[in-house]
Amino acid sequence: MEQRQGFSANRNGLNGSIPRELGNLHRLTYLSASINDLNGSIPQQLGNLHLLTYLILAYQTLSGPIPESMGALTNLEYLNLKFNRLTGTIPASIANLTRLTEVYLSYNFLAGSIPVALTTLTNLQELSLEHNQLAGSLPSFHHLSRLGRLHARNNYLTGRAAPFPECLSPNRTSACPNDCLYPPTESDIHGNCLAESTFSCDGWQRSSHDCRLFCGARPLTPPCSGHGVCSVEPGHHDDTPAWGAQCTCDEGYTQGTAAGTCVPRGPAFLLALLLVLLLPLAMLLLLAFALPRFLSHYGC
């Protein structure tokens, strides 16, 4: 019988990048190296660990995308990559991980939409996506009967929070608590850009101003007022908007007083521009008028 192995190195002061050679440990079933100082990207070679059931690389400074090769870890049950600097989108190959019960991708810089692939993971019990740059509509998780927690707080999700069908029951006595939005008894979708709905009892949402600052997919209004190129500067992860938008405005526009906006250049700028253009002309006119008098005066 093949002997299976585990590797745990939490709080060991590890630094540097994750060695690609880890992908050669084909018997590995458990890999945990949280709360270290690992950096760089997650190597594609980890997708060779086909027996892996637990992968925990939380609380590091790992960057770059989540590799598509993760979709080859078909025995994976627990995935924890929270509190890193991961970017890019959540790979669609995650749909292959049908044994997943818990997924933690919170406190990163993941962008794009929440892949519909996540809604096919019928064994999922907990899904944590909060504090990222996720945009687009919030998919329906109604049919995931085992899902006990859904956290998508502080992103830039748009559209409406679709109610769980029981919310529509005329016999329901309560207004529509959080456990009616989705099957989970603990769902948190605060701090997004969701439209108000009769059945969305999800608490506070970002203001239209905060949503306008976001440069990602489908903001509520065009970034930079449609007159510039928007870039996002990551901020601190807390309950305030974590992404500050900076605009490189088109010619004739300048950064508005509200961040993430471009406004036509004002009268002061136009006056300065007019002076700059007229000054050389004024000098030429003065020279054309004064030079003949000067030459005449000195008998030239």
Side-chain angles (χ1 to χ4, degrees):
M1 183 176 178
E2 187 182 52
Q3 184 178 3
R4 300 188 177 187
Q5 302 170 346
F7 176 82
S8 179
N10 301 322
R11 299 178 183 269
N12 272 19
L14 299 177
N15 55 51
S17 59
I18 299 174
R20 292 176 294 177
E21 289 76 14
L22 271 178
N24 298 328
L25 304 179
H26 301 298
R27 297 180 181 178
L28 209 60
T29 60
Y30 182 96
L31 174 57
S32 180
S34 292
I35 318 177
N36 286 293
D37 194 24
L38 296 173
N39 53 46
S41 59
I42 300 174
Q44 291 276 354
Q45 288 78 2
L46 291 190
N48 298 332
L49 305 178
H50 301 303
L51 298 179
L52 203 64
T53 57
Y54 280 74
L55 176 58
I56 309 171
L57 296 172
Y59 298 96
Q60 317 279 356
T61 54
L62 297 173
S63 58
I66 300 173
E68 282 284 344
S69 62
M70 286 285 185
L73 304 178
T74 53
N75 284 299
L76 201 64
E77 299 174 7
Y78 185 99
L79 175 62
N80 190 344
L81 303 176
K82 67 183 180 182
F83 283 95
N84 277 290
R85 298 180 179 274
L86 299 174
T87 56
T89 60
I90 301 172
S93 61
I94 200 169
N96 300 332
L97 311 184
T98 56
R99 296 190 179 186
L100 274 177
T101 59
E102 297 180 45
V103 176
Y104 302 92
L105 302 177
S106 53
Y107 292 88
N108 280 287
F109 301 117
L110 298 172
S113 59
I114 298 176
V116 178
L118 282 172
T119 69
T120 67
L121 304 179
T122 55
N123 288 311
L124 205 58
Q125 299 175 19
E126 184 157 350
L127 176 60
S128 180
L129 303 172
E130 68 261 38
H131 289 272
N132 278 289
Q133 298 184 33
L134 298 170
S137 60
L138 184 66
S140 171
F141 293 91
H142 295 160
H143 58 286
L144 299 186
S145 59
R146 299 182 182 181
L147 190 61
R149 292 181 180 176
L150 170 63
H151 290 178
R153 182 187 187 98
N154 280 30
N155 282 285
Y156 287 88
L157 301 171
T158 57
R160 293 186 178 274
F164 192 53
E166 288 181 5
C167 283
L168 306 177
S169 170
N171 299 322
R172 190 163 185 87
T173 55
S174 62
C176 180
N178 268 352
D179 64 353
C180 211
L181 273 173
Y182 294 97
T185 56
E186 182 180 336
S187 59
D188 187 351
I189 51 176
H190 299 165
N192 281 285
C193 301
L194 298 171
E196 292 184 6
S197 170
T198 305
F199 298 102
S200 65
C201 312
D202 54 294
W204 69 274
Q205 293 292 313
R206 293 186 188 277
S207 68
S208 59
H209 171 72
D210 292 339
C211 293
R212 196 163 53 238
L213 301 189
F214 180 54
C215 304
R218 301 181 66 182
L220 295 188
T221 58
C224 299
S225 311
H227 296 289
V229 178
C230 196
S231 60
V232 175
E233 293 186 357
H236 296 290
H237 289 302
D238 52 27
D239 284 344
T240 61
W243 322 107
Q246 299 293 325
C247 288
T248 303
C249 298
D250 296 339
E251 187 175 354
Y253 291 83
T254 185
Q255 175 80 43
T257 54
T261 61
C262 289
V263 297
R265 294 187 183 277
F269 171 80
L270 294 177
L271 180 60
L273 181 62
L274 189 61
L275 287 174
V276 169
L277 294 175
L278 291 179
L279 186 59
L281 180 60
M283 294 295 292
L284 287 173
L285 290 173
L286 180 62
L287 187 61
F289 175 77
L291 185 59
R293 294 174 64 94
F294 176 82
L295 295 176
S296 174
H297 179 74
Y298 287 98
C300 298

